Structure formats: structure tokens, C-alpha cells
Amino acid sequence: MSERAAPFYCPYCGDEDLRPNEQGHGAWECAACNRAFQLKFLGLLSRGVQTNSAEEEGI
């Protein structure tokens, strides 16, 4: 099994200095803005992938 993907930047300040947080799975802390946050995958949307009708007709 592969490792989980890590966030590239802080969702609050945009800085890239992130470290895993001790709160548990998916928890990260930003050294630049001193905030902690948690990422969680909620699931897939039921509508799936939608295509453009003009592409289907070849226009």
C-alpha cells in the first residue's frame, strides 16, 4: 500500500512549511502562520464525470 499524499501548501496562508501534527491522521501544522488543520476525504460525488455535449457531437 502506498503512503497518503501530503498537502503542498497551507490552506490559510499559502506557505509550504508544513509538518505532521500529533492530533492524528491527516492533521498538519503550518510553521508560518502557526495554525493546525486536518484533511479528510469525504467520498466521491454521485454525479460522476460530465462531458460537454458539443464535444460529443464533434462540433
PDB file of all heavy atoms in Angstrom, residues 1 3 9-10 12 25 31-32 34 37 41 52 57:
ATOM      1  N   MET A   1       0.851  -1.170   0.000  1.00  0.00           N
ATOM      2  CA  MET A   1       0.000   0.000   0.000  1.00  0.00           C
ATOM      3  C   MET A   1       0.900   1.237   0.000  1.00  0.00           C
ATOM      4  O   MET A   1       1.918   1.284   0.672  1.00  0.00           O
ATOM      5  CB  MET A   1      -0.908  -0.001   1.230  1.00  0.00           C
ATOM      6  CG  MET A   1      -1.909   1.131   1.207  1.00  0.00           C
ATOM      7  SD  MET A   1      -2.984   1.136   2.650  1.00  0.00           S
ATOM      8  CE  MET A   1      -4.105  -0.163   2.224  1.00  0.00           C
ATOM      9  N   GLU A   3       1.874   5.422   0.485  1.00  0.00           N
ATOM     10  CA  GLU A   3       1.654   6.432   1.502  1.00  0.00           C
ATOM     11  C   GLU A   3       0.566   7.402   1.067  1.00  0.00           C
ATOM     12  O   GLU A   3       0.284   7.553  -0.111  1.00  0.00           O
ATOM     13  CB  GLU A   3       2.942   7.207   1.748  1.00  0.00           C
ATOM     14  CG  GLU A   3       4.020   6.391   2.415  1.00  0.00           C
ATOM     15  CD  GLU A   3       5.229   7.235   2.729  1.00  0.00           C
ATOM     16  OE1 GLU A   3       5.067   8.432   2.978  1.00  0.00           O
ATOM     17  OE2 GLU A   3       6.330   6.680   2.721  1.00  0.00           O
ATOM     18  N   TYR A   9       0.719  23.043   0.390  1.00  0.00           N
ATOM     19  CA  TYR A   9       0.750  24.374   0.984  1.00  0.00           C
ATOM     20  C   TYR A   9      -0.370  24.524   2.005  1.00  0.00           C
ATOM     21  O   TYR A   9      -1.341  23.784   1.991  1.00  0.00           O
ATOM     22  CB  TYR A   9       0.646  25.471  -0.082  1.00  0.00           C
ATOM     23  CG  TYR A   9      -0.573  25.344  -0.960  1.00  0.00           C
ATOM     24  CD1 TYR A   9      -1.776  25.941  -0.595  1.00  0.00           C
ATOM     25  CD2 TYR A   9      -0.534  24.629  -2.138  1.00  0.00           C
ATOM     26  CE1 TYR A   9      -2.901  25.813  -1.377  1.00  0.00           C
ATOM     27  CE2 TYR A   9      -1.656  24.498  -2.935  1.00  0.00           C
ATOM     28  CZ  TYR A   9      -2.833  25.105  -2.547  1.00  0.00           C
ATOM     29  OH  TYR A   9      -3.956  24.977  -3.330  1.00  0.00           O
ATOM     30  N   CYS A  10      -0.220  25.507   2.886  1.00  0.00           N
ATOM     31  CA  CYS A  10      -1.203  25.785   3.928  1.00  0.00           C
ATOM     32  C   CYS A  10      -2.456  26.402   3.298  1.00  0.00           C
ATOM     33  O   CYS A  10      -2.351  27.338   2.500  1.00  0.00           O
ATOM     34  CB  CYS A  10      -0.598  26.745   4.946  1.00  0.00           C
ATOM     35  SG  CYS A  10      -1.769  27.310   6.203  1.00  0.00           S
ATOM     36  N   TYR A  12      -4.518  28.312   4.651  1.00  0.00           N
ATOM     37  CA  TYR A  12      -4.783  29.619   5.252  1.00  0.00           C
ATOM     38  C   TYR A  12      -3.832  30.700   4.748  1.00  0.00           C
ATOM     39  O   TYR A  12      -4.253  31.793   4.398  1.00  0.00           O
ATOM     40  CB  TYR A  12      -4.717  29.525   6.779  1.00  0.00           C
ATOM     41  CG  TYR A  12      -5.775  28.613   7.326  1.00  0.00           C
ATOM     42  CD1 TYR A  12      -5.473  27.310   7.693  1.00  0.00           C
ATOM     43  CD2 TYR A  12      -7.091  29.036   7.442  1.00  0.00           C
ATOM     44  CE1 TYR A  12      -6.446  26.453   8.178  1.00  0.00           C
ATOM     45  CE2 TYR A  12      -8.076  28.186   7.925  1.00  0.00           C
ATOM     46  CZ  TYR A  12      -7.744  26.908   8.286  1.00  0.00           C
ATOM     47  OH  TYR A  12      -8.710  26.061   8.761  1.00  0.00           O
ATOM     48  N   HIS A  25      -4.301  11.176  12.262  1.00  0.00           N
ATOM     49  CA  HIS A  25      -4.225  11.003  10.811  1.00  0.00           C
ATOM     50  C   HIS A  25      -4.784  12.219  10.074  1.00  0.00           C
ATOM     51  O   HIS A  25      -5.882  12.669  10.360  1.00  0.00           O
ATOM     52  CB  HIS A  25      -5.005   9.749  10.414  1.00  0.00           C
ATOM     53  CG  HIS A  25      -4.958   9.481   8.952  1.00  0.00           C
ATOM     54  ND1 HIS A  25      -3.830   9.012   8.338  1.00  0.00           N
ATOM     55  CD2 HIS A  25      -5.888   9.639   7.994  1.00  0.00           C
ATOM     56  CE1 HIS A  25      -4.079   8.882   7.051  1.00  0.00           C
ATOM     57  NE2 HIS A  25      -5.309   9.245   6.818  1.00  0.00           N
ATOM     58  N   ALA A  31       4.137  26.167  10.103  1.00  0.00           N
ATOM     59  CA  ALA A  31       5.084  26.923  10.924  1.00  0.00           C
ATOM     60  C   ALA A  31       5.014  28.417  10.628  1.00  0.00           C
ATOM     61  O   ALA A  31       5.363  29.229  11.472  1.00  0.00           O
ATOM     62  CB  ALA A  31       6.500  26.409  10.684  1.00  0.00           C
ATOM     63  N   ALA A  32       4.533  28.802   9.453  1.00  0.00           N
ATOM     64  CA  ALA A  32       4.494  30.213   9.069  1.00  0.00           C
ATOM     65  C   ALA A  32       3.371  30.971   9.782  1.00  0.00           C
ATOM     66  O   ALA A  32       3.596  32.039  10.333  1.00  0.00           O
ATOM     67  CB  ALA A  32       4.334  30.341   7.567  1.00  0.00           C
ATOM     68  N   ASN A  34       1.297  29.461  12.169  1.00  0.00           N
ATOM     69  CA  ASN A  34       1.056  28.843  13.474  1.00  0.00           C
ATOM     70  C   ASN A  34      -0.358  28.277  13.603  1.00  0.00           C
ATOM     71  O   ASN A  34      -0.956  28.334  14.674  1.00  0.00           O
ATOM     72  CB  ASN A  34       1.356  29.851  14.596  1.00  0.00           C
ATOM     73  CG  ASN A  34       1.836  29.160  15.840  1.00  0.00           C
ATOM     74  OD1 ASN A  34       2.382  28.072  15.779  1.00  0.00           O
ATOM     75  ND2 ASN A  34       1.625  29.787  16.975  1.00  0.00           N
ATOM     76  N   PHE A  37      -4.438  22.211  11.057  1.00  0.00           N
ATOM     77  CA  PHE A  37      -5.637  21.855  10.316  1.00  0.00           C
ATOM     78  C   PHE A  37      -5.620  20.368  10.026  1.00  0.00           C
ATOM     79  O   PHE A  37      -4.611  19.700  10.171  1.00  0.00           O
ATOM     80  CB  PHE A  37      -5.751  22.674   9.018  1.00  0.00           C
ATOM     81  CG  PHE A  37      -4.581  22.522   8.086  1.00  0.00           C
ATOM     82  CD1 PHE A  37      -4.598  21.578   7.069  1.00  0.00           C
ATOM     83  CD2 PHE A  37      -3.471  23.326   8.219  1.00  0.00           C
ATOM     84  CE1 PHE A  37      -3.520  21.443   6.213  1.00  0.00           C
ATOM     85  CE2 PHE A  37      -2.395  23.213   7.369  1.00  0.00           C
ATOM     86  CZ  PHE A  37      -2.418  22.267   6.364  1.00  0.00           C
ATOM     87  N   PHE A  41     -10.840  12.992   3.462  1.00  0.00           N
ATOM     88  CA  PHE A  41     -11.503  12.628   2.215  1.00  0.00           C
ATOM     89  C   PHE A  41     -12.945  12.254   2.536  1.00  0.00           C
ATOM     90  O   PHE A  41     -13.202  11.380   3.364  1.00  0.00           O
ATOM     91  CB  PHE A  41     -10.776  11.456   1.561  1.00  0.00           C
ATOM     92  CG  PHE A  41     -11.426  10.968   0.310  1.00  0.00           C
ATOM     93  CD1 PHE A  41     -11.396  11.741  -0.840  1.00  0.00           C
ATOM     94  CD2 PHE A  41     -12.063   9.751   0.272  1.00  0.00           C
ATOM     95  CE1 PHE A  41     -11.986  11.301  -2.001  1.00  0.00           C
ATOM     96  CE2 PHE A  41     -12.661   9.297  -0.884  1.00  0.00           C
ATOM     97  CZ  PHE A  41     -12.616  10.070  -2.027  1.00  0.00           C
ATOM     98  N   ASN A  52     -18.953  17.615 -22.202  1.00  0.00           N
ATOM     99  CA  ASN A  52     -19.581  18.701 -22.929  1.00  0.00           C
ATOM    100  C   ASN A  52     -20.343  18.121 -24.124  1.00  0.00           C
ATOM    101  O   ASN A  52     -19.793  17.357 -24.905  1.00  0.00           O
ATOM    102  CB  ASN A  52     -18.518  19.696 -23.399  1.00  0.00           C
ATOM    103  CG  ASN A  52     -19.111  20.947 -23.986  1.00  0.00           C
ATOM    104  OD1 ASN A  52     -20.308  21.027 -24.212  1.00  0.00           O
ATOM    105  ND2 ASN A  52     -18.263  21.915 -24.236  1.00  0.00           N
ATOM    106  N   GLU A  57     -20.858  15.767 -30.163  1.00  0.00           N
ATOM    107  CA  GLU A  57     -21.385  15.910 -31.497  1.00  0.00           C
ATOM    108  C   GLU A  57     -20.280  16.161 -32.527  1.00  0.00           C
ATOM    109  O   GLU A  57     -20.529  16.139 -33.715  1.00  0.00           O
ATOM    110  CB  GLU A  57     -22.404  17.058 -31.543  1.00  0.00           C
ATOM    111  CG  GLU A  57     -23.628  16.784 -30.701  1.00  0.00           C
ATOM    112  CD  GLU A  57     -24.553  17.996 -30.636  1.00  0.00           C
ATOM    113  OE1 GLU A  57     -24.284  18.982 -31.346  1.00  0.00           O
ATOM    114  OE2 GLU A  57     -25.519  17.922 -29.878  1.00  0.00           O
TER     115      GLU A  57
END
